[in-house]
Amino acid sequence: MSVTVETPLQAGPLLKEKKQELIDIKNIQEHARTVQPFKASKHQPLISGSVSKEAAIATHAALHIDLTPEKEKKIREMYDRLDADNDGSIDIRDLTQALSSQTPHIPATMAPKLLAKMKREDSDRVTYADFTNYVIAHEARLAEVFDQIDSNRDGEVDVSEIKSYCKEMGVNLDDHKALSIVKKMDQSGSSSVNLNEFQDFMLLYPSTDMREMVDFWRHNLIIDIGEDGQVPEDFTPQELQSGVWWRHLVAGGVAGAMSRTCTAPFDRIKVYLQVNSTKTNKLGVVSCVHLLHAEGGLKSFWRGNGINVIKIAPESAMKFMSYDQIKRWIQEYKGGAELTTYERLFAGSSAGAISQTAIYPMEVMKTRLALRRTGQLDRGMIHFAHKMYDKEGIRCFYKGYLPNLLGIIPYAGIDLTVYETLKSCYTQYYTEHTEPGVLALLACGTCSSTCGQLASYPLALVRTRLQARAISPKNSSQPDTMIGQFKHILQNEGFTGLYRGITPNFMKVIPAVSISYVVYEKVRKQLGATMS
């Protein structure tokens, strides 16, 4: 066997002719030492010296004599797909782009770790030889993992074996979640996964550590952004013991504080319009901005934001603890089985109701502070709350509590249903993708959140009017009950009156989601918390 390498004649700079040099495969190691490596810069010629790209790849392929032609072709095709700019080598930009567009089930954030696994220590890019070595070694390790999962040794991994394997790693999955994992790996529609399918699916995941792989399946193949606002994150016993849980809660708290602060002007405009805009006193966003600025200046747009940020910590902590306890009760009732999606929705909504009950006085304070006039907080927040108590009694801190409580369930249920529907439509339309990318997931989350808000907004409007009734002269004659408020609004303002102030509410959705996502990811990484 021999390979052909093109070399120029050593006759002068203008001579263009080339000759063919045949190399005996027995002496391939000797010739390989004369092949110069790819240059470091992406803006310089790929090959230095006398070896073309094709000849270099042929030489590297010949070093792996045990590769079949089919295997060699498969590796070459994969290498060409990852080499996005087609310069003969793979760098961090190539990998990031390829993971985003071709393998959305592997997060693009894995690109640096994957590059480190593939490349040599003295290089910042991956050659064809490096990639071939990685594929051969990684597939061998994946075969060992597959053998451990395949408990009955039939060459196929099914739902029960995935569940059993994950349980050994400390992660309990129900049938629905285990089936979701199998479906994403299964290429033949057999409801099971063979070795080749398993290797193809996990080839670009840069680890074969069993615990890391199970965490990857759990966190990346069963993602549900649509539930983030209502259902707290599930943490395994290992994550609870290691302290990962509090890092995620801190990251979520910081993200929430930044998001709420940046979008506080939208929130104050919304509250003002909910209370003061009527059929006879029509106010728009622009006119409201002029009124608020004239009354209190630029700082007035952040009134009520302080207590809105302060309540994040107790609300998140109480929701997390309640959710964990309710999950345990449901699992005990079911005999230890994992919760389904809708059981998690019930547990999350119940935890939300408990946390809202505990911090609801702060919600009323936020509304009152957002509607206050300049000079009404000169003696501090505690004095402001004391004045409310002296004038209206303890019941004033729970005005609008019932519509607030009722609004949790339709928001969470519709949010989740729409989110899952959009995800399903995306994967059906873009059949080459098994899972939407990050931007698509954010779009699904934004749309589902918007639909949830449309369904629950009338309840939020009634809640706000009940909270502000005592300090709003225009509303003092209005009913003091939820049903009475609904009747009053429909009779005097019509159906559209139930959606007063919804424009600024929609305006803040996209910036709020984007800021929250970016800050959460940054803080999570700084705290050293793995993706959850």
Side-chain angles (χ1 to χ4, degrees):
M1 177 181 176
S2 62
V3 295
T4 301
V5 179
E6 296 180 348
T7 57
L9 295 174
Q10 306 297 321
L14 300 178
L15 191 58
K16 303 296 182 183
E17 296 180 4
K18 297 181 180 180
K19 68 177 183 178
Q20 302 289 327
E21 178 187 349
L22 294 178
I23 302 170
D24 192 338
I25 191 62
K26 296 179 181 179
N27 299 321
I28 192 67
Q29 296 286 359
E30 187 66 30
H31 178 75
R33 282 192 284 269
T34 68
V35 177
Q36 297 188 32
F38 297 162
K39 287 190 175 182
S41 173
K42 300 279 279 189
H43 305 289
Q44 295 179 2
L46 171 67
I47 304 297
S48 175
S50 61
V51 182
S52 68
K53 171 184 174 179
E54 294 300 321
I57 291 178
T59 301
H60 294 315
L63 291 171
H64 297 281
I65 303 174
D66 54 334
L67 289 180
T68 63
E70 294 78 12
K71 186 68 174 179
E72 184 180 328
K73 180 182 178 184
K74 182 179 178 181
I75 293 175
R76 174 62 192 275
E77 289 175 349
M78 193 182 310
Y79 183 78
D80 287 340
R81 287 201 306 271
L82 294 179
D83 180 15
D85 54 10
N86 196 33
D87 73 340
S89 65
I90 301 170
D91 65 4
I92 188 67
R93 289 172 294 180
D94 293 332
L95 274 184
T96 303
Q97 182 178 336
L99 290 181
S100 299
S101 60
Q102 299 179 34
T103 56
H105 65 279
I106 307 288
T109 53
M110 291 279 185
K113 189 174 181 181
L114 180 59
L115 183 71
K117 286 281 185 181
M118 289 181 176
K119 71 180 183 66
R120 297 188 306 274
E121 290 184 5
D122 59 345
S123 177
D124 62 352
R125 63 192 61 246
V126 180
T127 65
Y128 182 79
D130 298 332
F131 183 71
T132 303
N133 290 333
Y134 168 82
V135 170
I136 293 172
H138 204 61
E139 285 189 341
R141 289 192 291 269
L142 288 173
E144 295 174 3
V145 174
F146 184 86
D147 287 341
Q148 294 183 49
I149 304 174
D150 183 20
S151 56
N152 60 6
R153 299 292 184 269
D154 66 347
E156 300 278 340
V157 169
D158 56 22
V159 171
S160 62
E161 287 172 322
I162 287 286
K163 282 181 62 180
S164 176
Y165 182 73
C166 290
K167 189 174 182 179
E168 289 177 14
M169 296 294 106
V171 176
N172 290 317
L173 300 179
D174 59 23
D175 289 339
H176 175 73
K177 291 179 179 178
L179 180 61
S180 175
I181 294 172
V182 170
K183 280 183 176 179
K184 286 179 171 63
M185 295 187 190
D186 179 22
Q187 299 172 9
S188 61
S190 62
S191 297
S192 62
V193 181
N194 60 36
L195 176 59
N196 288 334
E197 291 171 334
F198 181 75
Q199 288 174 328
D200 288 346
F201 192 83
M202 297 299 297
L203 186 61
L204 296 181
Y205 181 71
S207 175
T208 51
D209 179 86
M210 293 184 291
R211 175 67 208 187
E212 288 185 11
M213 290 176 69
V214 169
D215 282 341
F216 163 71
W217 294 342
R218 172 174 168 259
H219 293 314
N220 291 85
L221 304 190
I222 316 173
I223 188 170
D224 222 341
I225 286 177
E227 295 179 72
D228 283 358
Q230 297 297 326
V231 183
E233 177 63 81
D234 282 308
F235 295 106
T236 65
Q238 290 85 349
E239 288 171 329
L240 290 171
Q241 292 174 7
S242 66
V244 166
W245 65 273
W246 72 260
R247 292 183 175 88
H248 284 281
L249 289 182
V250 169
V254 174
M258 286 294 293
S259 175
R260 292 183 187 192
T261 300
C262 292
T263 59
F266 294 111
D267 206 47
R268 194 183 178 216
I269 294 169
K270 177 195 74 175
V271 170
Y272 191 88
L273 291 175
Q274 284 178 332
V275 174
N276 295 294
S277 179
T278 62
K279 193 172 185 178
T280 56
N281 182 38
K282 290 184 178 179
L283 289 173
V285 174
V286 176
S287 57
C288 184
V289 169
H290 287 309
L291 281 171
L292 295 177
H293 186 269
E295 192 279 324
L298 189 63
K299 288 174 62 178
S300 68
F301 289 98
W302 276 266
R303 284 179 186 170
N305 182 61
I307 198 165
N308 198 29
V309 170
I310 290 170
K311 72 185 180 71
I312 291 175
E315 184 178 13
S316 299
M318 195 158 295
K319 184 185 286 188
F320 172 72
M321 290 186 292
S322 303
Y323 178 65
D324 190 58
Q325 187 59 54
I326 294 169
K327 274 201 317 175
R328 290 179 186 177
W329 287 339
I330 295 174
Q331 286 178 322
E332 287 175 6
Y333 178 77
K334 295 177 64 178
E338 182 69 12
L339 272 67
T340 65
T341 299
Y342 289 99
E343 285 169 342
R344 287 182 64 233
L345 176 61
F346 169 77
S349 298
S350 301
I354 292 169
S355 63
Q356 279 288 305
T357 302
I359 61 94
Y360 191 75
M362 299 175 80
E363 285 282 352
V364 178
M365 285 279 292
K366 184 199 83 170
T367 300
R368 296 282 182 97
L369 289 169
L371 293 170
R372 72 178 176 86
R373 299 183 68 84
T374 302
Q376 291 182 337
L377 196 66
D378 291 345
R379 298 178 64 181
M381 196 179 298
I382 295 176
H383 180 262
F384 188 86
H386 193 266
K387 278 177 62 179
M388 286 174 56
Y389 175 75
D390 286 343
K391 190 174 181 179
E392 304 172 57
I394 192 68
R395 291 182 61 187
C396 76
F397 291 103
Y398 281 90
K399 293 288 185 181
Y401 172 73
L402 184 58
N404 181 73
L405 198 64
L406 294 175
I408 293 174
I409 298 172
Y411 180 89
I414 292 172
D415 190 6
L416 175 62
T417 304
V418 173
Y419 179 77
E420 290 294 336
T421 303
L422 290 174
K423 269 178 60 180
S424 176
C425 291
Y426 181 93
T427 52
Q428 288 176 10
Y429 186 77
Y430 296 99
T431 53
E432 69 274 14
H433 293 158
T434 56
E435 186 74 12
V438 171
L439 289 178
L441 287 174
L442 281 176
C444 292
T446 301
C447 291
S448 63
S449 176
T450 301
C451 292
Q453 286 184 43
L454 278 172
S456 62
Y457 191 84
L459 287 164
L461 177 109
V462 169
R463 177 200 66 193
T464 303
R465 288 200 174 184
L466 289 173
Q467 289 172 342
R469 180 176 171 274
I471 62 169
S472 177
K474 296 178 183 177
N475 299 331
S476 58
S477 60
Q478 292 181 7
D480 195 24
T481 63
M482 180 182 73
I483 295 177
Q485 278 284 343
F486 272 115
K487 287 181 178 179
H488 176 83
I489 293 170
L490 290 172
Q491 287 173 0
N492 292 278
E493 302 178 49
F495 182 76
T496 56
L498 295 173
Y499 288 90
R500 298 285 182 197
I502 199 168
T503 301
N505 203 52
F506 279 156
M507 290 170 68
K508 80 171 187 177
V509 169
I510 294 177
V513 171
S514 303
I515 293 168
S516 182
Y517 178 81
V518 171
V519 174
Y520 176 83
E521 286 297 306
K522 294 288 185 184
V523 176
R524 177 183 65 80
K525 290 174 184 176
Q526 288 294 321
L527 293 175
T530 54
M531 182 62 189
S532 202

